[in-house]
Amino acid sequence: MRLNSMCIRCLVDKQEAGIAKFKDEEKNTAYMKEIAKIIGESDDEASSAYLVYLFNQVYRRYFGEVKDYSEIKKEYNSYVLAMEDELYQEIGEAKDPLAQSIVYARIGNYIDFGAMQHVERAEFLELFQEKEKNLLDQSVYEDFLKDCQKGKNFLLLADNCGEIVLDKLFLRELKKRFPHLILSVMVRGEEVLNDVTIKDAEETGICTVAKVVSNGNGVGGTVVDMLSEEARQVLDQADVMLAKGQANFETLHGCGRNIYYSFLCKCDWFSGRFGVEKYTGMFLRERDCV
């Protein structure tokens, strides 16, 4: 996805806010100049997620390690795990449990400490009740079912902690509907924001329903050219992919692979691009995204 002026402004604002606690203005100014240089020299196709990866390397040089989200990740994994049984029962009682599991897993995309200014539990819970924001495009869903029926290898490109618990419920339903599918999940290779790593996948139990592979890097998305050899092999072998979250859309959109995207529109640019209210869920095919 091409970088745009709105994303650039957001990136700069977040970097400035992230160093506001430091009192050395000379250092702060030097840091922001490097950030501006990275943006100015970036390729037109550079994603926000990839630029943040570059920013973090500069941040460490000036200020030390970036913010540690380990406690936040544990908190939200535990929080959604406590909801797991009740939500799975609701999924099972739905007219179409697989469709319902996709919707619930997409609601989990709310738990995003990168795109969101604030993550509120009450707002997260309200999303389960907002039916007008929880619809699936029926034609996209039918194509998804057809691809899963024809395919052999299914890959879920994961996003956030907390959300990963709901992804696990989705994969359970997918395996029920299509027992022939070989399921894999790709997670981040390094700590980045509250994104899922191998450790988080193990703690939330998604390893019990699918093979989990690290993407081998610390980008908060999926940059194909940066994937580890193992991750690239899993990606190349996948007949059907579901990419969760805005960052995976940003980094993969335009790649031409058989990818379905599932995310909430959590920022003004995404809401404007798709002409929907904030926190509306999207379920899209790569080949339809222009």
Side-chain angles (χ1 to χ4, degrees):
M1 190 184 87
R2 293 179 68 88
L3 197 63
N4 60 79
S5 60
M6 189 177 292
C7 289
I8 290 172
R9 183 189 66 192
C10 181
L11 286 168
V12 171
D13 287 347
K14 286 182 177 178
Q15 292 305 305
E16 195 281 329
I19 65 169
K21 61 186 176 183
F22 301 117
K23 304 306 180 185
D24 187 336
E25 184 54 36
E26 185 174 336
K27 182 185 287 189
N28 290 359
T29 300
Y31 172 75
M32 290 304 298
K33 282 184 175 180
E34 288 206 38
I35 296 305
K37 183 178 180 182
I38 289 172
I39 294 172
E41 295 179 351
S42 64
D43 186 273
D44 287 343
E45 300 299 326
S47 65
S48 297
Y50 176 67
L51 291 180
V52 170
Y53 168 76
L54 299 180
F55 296 166
N56 286 344
Q57 295 179 51
V58 179
Y59 184 98
R60 292 185 181 97
R61 183 154 41 85
Y62 277 86
F63 307 110
E65 278 303 315
V66 297
K67 181 176 179 179
D68 182 1
Y69 285 85
S70 58
E71 290 305 313
I72 290 173
K73 291 167 72 174
K74 287 180 182 178
E75 175 188 347
Y76 277 89
N77 279 338
S78 297
Y79 177 58
V80 185
L81 279 169
M83 303 168 61
E84 179 179 3
D85 291 343
E86 180 180 351
L87 291 176
Y88 196 50
Q89 181 176 342
E90 291 178 10
I91 288 170
E93 294 170 353
K95 182 178 180 181
D96 185 338
L98 179 57
Q100 191 68 47
S101 71
I102 293 173
V103 168
Y104 276 15
R106 189 175 62 190
I107 290 171
N109 189 237
Y110 170 85
I111 306 171
D112 185 342
F113 284 81
M116 302 277 290
Q117 293 292 334
H118 302 284
V119 174
E120 304 290 345
R121 291 191 182 188
E123 194 165 39
F124 170 60
L125 294 176
E126 286 174 10
L127 290 175
F128 288 93
Q129 310 304 320
E130 296 188 7
K131 303 205 181 295
E132 71 280 1
K133 294 183 178 181
N134 288 337
L135 302 176
L136 288 182
D137 184 305
Q138 193 60 32
S139 66
V140 175
Y141 179 57
E142 289 174 2
D143 280 353
F144 177 77
L145 296 179
K146 291 175 184 176
D147 282 345
C148 288
Q149 183 62 55
K150 293 185 298 183
K152 177 182 177 182
N153 294 295
F154 180 91
L155 174 60
L156 173 74
L157 296 156
D159 195 12
N160 303 310
C161 283
E163 177 181 2
I164 194 68
V165 179
L166 300 170
D167 292 335
K168 177 176 67 174
L169 303 187
F170 155 68
L171 290 176
R172 284 180 182 170
E173 288 303 318
L174 187 68
K175 192 67 174 178
K176 282 184 184 179
R177 182 77 68 93
F178 304 105
H180 68 280
L181 282 178
I182 299 170
L183 307 182
S184 298
V185 178
M186 191 175 295
V187 299
R188 310 296 188 237
E190 300 172 10
E191 294 290 340
V192 51
L193 297 168
N194 67 305
D195 289 15
V196 177
T197 61
I198 290 283
K199 179 181 178 183
D200 304 305
E202 291 172 347
E203 289 178 352
T204 53
I206 201 168
C207 300
T208 63
V209 295
K211 174 186 176 181
V212 178
V213 59
S214 162
N215 70 5
N217 63 73
V219 178
T222 305
V223 178
V224 175
D225 290 344
M226 294 180 65
L227 294 177
S228 66
E229 184 176 346
E230 180 188 17
R232 181 62 181 265
Q233 185 177 24
V234 170
L235 187 81
D236 289 342
Q237 290 176 347
D239 305 298
V240 191
M241 287 176 266
L242 180 64
K244 299 293 300 296
Q246 292 182 168
N248 274 326
F249 178 82
E250 290 181 75
T251 49
L252 287 167
H253 170 45
C255 70
R257 294 170 183 264
N258 191 28
I259 302 178
Y260 291 80
Y261 298 103
S262 179
F263 55 85
L264 297 185
C265 292
K266 292 168 290 191
C267 69
D268 292 340
W269 188 87
F270 270 84
S271 294
R273 185 194 193 284
F274 295 106
V276 297
E277 294 182 5
K278 196 173 184 180
Y279 304 136
T280 296
M282 307 302 298
F283 188 56
L284 311 167
R285 290 171 290 213
E286 164 67 17
R287 67 175 182 266
D288 294 337
C289 298
V290 294

